[in-house]
Amino acid sequence: MSLVKRITRSRVVQEALGFLVASYLKLVQRTNRFVMEPADAYDRIGPMMPVIAAMWHGQHFMIHFAKRPQDRAASLVSRSGDGEFNAIALRHLGIRAIRGSGARGRDIRKKGGISAMRSMLRALSDGEMVVMTADIPKISRICGEGIVTLAQLSGRPIVPVAVVTSRRIDFDSWDRASLGLPFGKGAMVLGEPVSVPRDADPAAIEAARQAVERGLDAVHARAYALVGSKDPGARKRQDAPALARETRA
C-alpha cells in the first residue's frame, strides 16, 4: 500500500476527513435558498414513514438535506476505504451507516450485500428510514433490483428523491457526480412512492424497477429545472434495456 493510501486510511485521518465533509455540507445547506416540491411533500410522505429514499449514484452528497430533523435514518455505504470516511461524515450528520454495497453475481457476498440487506430490513422494521442508491456501481442511472427487493421484503414504499444546487461542481466521473457549492439556490424534489407487493412476480418486479428509474429521472430533471439548469448525468433511455439486463447478470 502506498504511503498516501496508508495515511488516508488511518483512523485519525478518516475521522478528520469525515468531520470536514460533514461541516462543509452543513455550510452548503445553510447558505443555499432551498425550495421543496411538492410543497406539501412532508405531509404526504410523513404518514408513510419509514420509507426507502432512492437516489442516483453521484447525487448522494446532499440527499440528507431532505430529511426532517425528527426522522431517524440509515444509509447504505460501501465497505471500501472511501466508504469509511463517508460513514463518519454521515454520523456527524445524524445518519447511521449500514456497510455494504450493490453488486452483481458472485461479488454480492464479498461486498456485504446479503448482510446489508438484512440490516436494512431490521432498520425499516425498527422505524428507521433507509437511504440507498438505486443504481449499482459502474452502471449509472439504471435501477437495479436490490432496492426493489428491499421494498418487496419490507413492505415499505420507495420514494425517489433529488437534491441539487445552482452553484456546484460537476465531476467527469462514471456517475457524473455533483457537489453543491455555498451561496446559491437549491431544490429538493420528492417523487411518487413506488410500492412492491410481497407476492410480486418477475413482471411486477420489473415494472417496479422501471417505475423507480422513471421516478428518479423525473425528480432530477425537475430539481435541476427549478435551479435553472439541466441534469449533467441524464442518460439517453435507448440504452436502458441492455444495461438493465447487465445489472441482473
Side-chain angles (χ1 to χ4, degrees), residues 144-164:
E145 287 189 1
I147 194 169
V148 177
T149 300
L150 178 62
Q152 180 187 25
L153 295 176
S154 67
R156 309 312 305 173
I158 301 167
V159 178
V161 182
V163 179
V164 306

CSV table of all heavy atoms in Angstrom, one decimal, residues 144-164:
chain,number,residue,atom,x,y,z
A,144,GLY,N,-31.2,-1.0,-10.4
A,144,GLY,CA,-31.0,-2.4,-10.2
A,144,GLY,C,-32.2,-3.0,-9.4
A,144,GLY,O,-33.1,-2.3,-9.0
A,145,GLU,N,-32.2,-4.3,-9.1
A,145,GLU,CA,-33.3,-4.9,-8.5
A,145,GLU,C,-33.1,-4.9,-6.9
A,145,GLU,O,-34.1,-5.2,-6.2
A,145,GLU,CB,-33.4,-6.4,-8.9
A,145,GLU,CG,-34.0,-6.5,-10.3
A,145,GLU,CD,-34.3,-8.0,-10.7
A,145,GLU,OE1,-34.1,-8.9,-9.8
A,145,GLU,OE2,-34.7,-8.2,-11.8
A,146,GLY,N,-32.0,-4.5,-6.4
A,146,GLY,CA,-31.8,-4.5,-5.0
A,146,GLY,C,-32.8,-3.7,-4.2
A,146,GLY,O,-33.3,-4.1,-3.2
A,147,ILE,N,-33.0,-2.5,-4.7
A,147,ILE,CA,-33.9,-1.6,-3.9
A,147,ILE,C,-35.3,-2.0,-4.0
A,147,ILE,O,-36.1,-1.9,-3.1
A,147,ILE,CB,-33.7,-0.1,-4.4
A,147,ILE,CG1,-34.4,0.9,-3.5
A,147,ILE,CG2,-34.3,0.0,-5.9
A,147,ILE,CD1,-34.0,2.3,-3.8
A,148,VAL,N,-35.6,-2.7,-5.2
A,148,VAL,CA,-37.0,-3.2,-5.4
A,148,VAL,C,-37.2,-4.4,-4.5
A,148,VAL,O,-38.3,-4.6,-3.8
A,148,VAL,CB,-37.2,-3.6,-6.8
A,148,VAL,CG1,-38.6,-4.2,-7.0
A,148,VAL,CG2,-37.1,-2.3,-7.7
A,149,THR,N,-36.2,-5.3,-4.3
A,149,THR,CA,-36.3,-6.4,-3.4
A,149,THR,C,-36.4,-6.0,-2.0
A,149,THR,O,-37.2,-6.5,-1.2
A,149,THR,CB,-35.0,-7.3,-3.6
A,149,THR,OG1,-34.9,-7.7,-4.9
A,149,THR,CG2,-35.0,-8.5,-2.6
A,150,LEU,N,-35.7,-4.9,-1.6
A,150,LEU,CA,-35.9,-4.4,-0.2
A,150,LEU,C,-37.3,-3.9,0.0
A,150,LEU,O,-37.9,-4.2,1.1
A,150,LEU,CB,-34.9,-3.2,0.0
A,150,LEU,CG,-35.0,-2.5,1.3
A,150,LEU,CD1,-34.6,-3.5,2.5
A,150,LEU,CD2,-34.0,-1.3,1.4
A,151,ALA,N,-37.9,-3.2,-1.0
A,151,ALA,CA,-39.3,-2.8,-0.8
A,151,ALA,C,-40.2,-4.0,-0.7
A,151,ALA,O,-41.2,-4.0,0.0
A,151,ALA,CB,-39.7,-1.9,-2.0
A,152,GLN,N,-40.0,-5.0,-1.5
A,152,GLN,CA,-40.8,-6.2,-1.5
A,152,GLN,C,-40.8,-6.9,-0.2
A,152,GLN,O,-41.8,-7.3,0.4
A,152,GLN,CB,-40.4,-7.1,-2.7
A,152,GLN,CG,-41.2,-8.4,-2.8
A,152,GLN,CD,-40.7,-9.4,-3.8
A,152,GLN,OE1,-39.5,-9.4,-4.1
A,152,GLN,NE2,-41.5,-10.2,-4.3
A,153,LEU,N,-39.6,-7.1,0.3
A,153,LEU,CA,-39.4,-7.9,1.6
A,153,LEU,C,-39.9,-7.1,2.8
A,153,LEU,O,-40.3,-7.7,3.8
A,153,LEU,CB,-38.0,-8.3,1.8
A,153,LEU,CG,-37.4,-9.3,0.7
A,153,LEU,CD1,-35.9,-9.5,1.0
A,153,LEU,CD2,-38.2,-10.6,0.7
A,154,SER,N,-39.7,-5.7,2.8
A,154,SER,CA,-40.1,-4.9,3.9
A,154,SER,C,-41.5,-4.4,3.9
A,154,SER,O,-42.0,-4.1,5.0
A,154,SER,CB,-39.1,-3.7,4.0
A,154,SER,OG,-39.4,-2.8,2.9
A,155,GLY,N,-42.1,-4.3,2.7
A,155,GLY,CA,-43.4,-3.8,2.6
A,155,GLY,C,-43.4,-2.2,2.7
A,155,GLY,O,-44.5,-1.6,2.8
A,156,ARG,N,-42.3,-1.6,2.6
A,156,ARG,CA,-42.2,-0.1,2.7
A,156,ARG,C,-42.0,0.4,1.3
A,156,ARG,O,-41.4,-0.1,0.4
A,156,ARG,CB,-41.0,0.3,3.5
A,156,ARG,CG,-40.8,-0.4,4.9
A,156,ARG,CD,-42.1,-0.3,5.7
A,156,ARG,NE,-42.7,1.0,5.8
A,156,ARG,CZ,-43.9,1.3,6.3
A,156,ARG,NH1,-44.7,0.3,6.7
A,156,ARG,NH2,-44.3,2.6,6.4
A,157,PRO,N,-42.6,1.6,1.1
A,157,PRO,CA,-42.6,2.2,-0.3
A,157,PRO,C,-41.2,2.9,-0.6
A,157,PRO,O,-40.5,3.3,0.3
A,157,PRO,CB,-43.7,3.3,-0.2
A,157,PRO,CG,-43.7,3.7,1.2
A,157,PRO,CD,-43.4,2.4,2.0
A,158,ILE,N,-40.9,2.9,-1.9
A,158,ILE,CA,-39.7,3.6,-2.4
A,158,ILE,C,-40.1,5.0,-2.8
A,158,ILE,O,-41.0,5.2,-3.5
A,158,ILE,CB,-39.1,2.9,-3.6
A,158,ILE,CG1,-38.7,1.4,-3.2
A,158,ILE,CG2,-37.8,3.6,-4.1
A,158,ILE,CD1,-38.4,0.6,-4.4
A,159,VAL,N,-39.3,6.0,-2.3
A,159,VAL,CA,-39.6,7.4,-2.7
A,159,VAL,C,-38.4,8.0,-3.4
A,159,VAL,O,-37.3,8.1,-2.8
A,159,VAL,CB,-39.9,8.3,-1.4
A,159,VAL,CG1,-40.2,9.7,-1.8
A,159,VAL,CG2,-41.1,7.8,-0.7
A,160,PRO,N,-38.5,8.3,-4.7
A,160,PRO,CA,-37.4,8.9,-5.4
A,160,PRO,C,-37.1,10.4,-4.9
A,160,PRO,O,-38.1,11.1,-4.7
A,160,PRO,CB,-37.9,9.0,-6.9
A,160,PRO,CG,-39.0,8.0,-6.9
A,160,PRO,CD,-39.7,8.0,-5.6
A,161,VAL,N,-35.9,10.7,-4.7
A,161,VAL,CA,-35.5,12.0,-4.1
A,161,VAL,C,-34.4,12.6,-4.9
A,161,VAL,O,-33.4,11.9,-5.3
A,161,VAL,CB,-35.1,11.8,-2.6
A,161,VAL,CG1,-34.8,13.2,-2.0
A,161,VAL,CG2,-36.2,11.2,-1.8
A,162,ALA,N,-34.4,13.9,-5.1
A,162,ALA,CA,-33.3,14.7,-5.7
A,162,ALA,C,-33.1,15.9,-4.9
A,162,ALA,O,-34.1,16.6,-4.6
A,162,ALA,CB,-33.7,15.0,-7.2
A,163,VAL,N,-31.9,16.2,-4.7
A,163,VAL,CA,-31.5,17.5,-4.0
A,163,VAL,C,-30.3,18.1,-4.8
A,163,VAL,O,-29.3,17.5,-4.9
A,163,VAL,CB,-31.0,17.3,-2.5
A,163,VAL,CG1,-30.6,18.6,-1.9
A,163,VAL,CG2,-32.2,16.6,-1.7
A,164,VAL,N,-30.5,19.3,-5.4
A,164,VAL,CA,-29.5,19.9,-6.2
A,164,VAL,C,-29.4,21.4,-5.9
A,164,VAL,O,-30.2,22.0,-5.3
A,164,VAL,CB,-29.8,19.7,-7.7
A,164,VAL,CG1,-30.1,18.3,-8.1
A,164,VAL,CG2,-31.0,20.5,-8.1
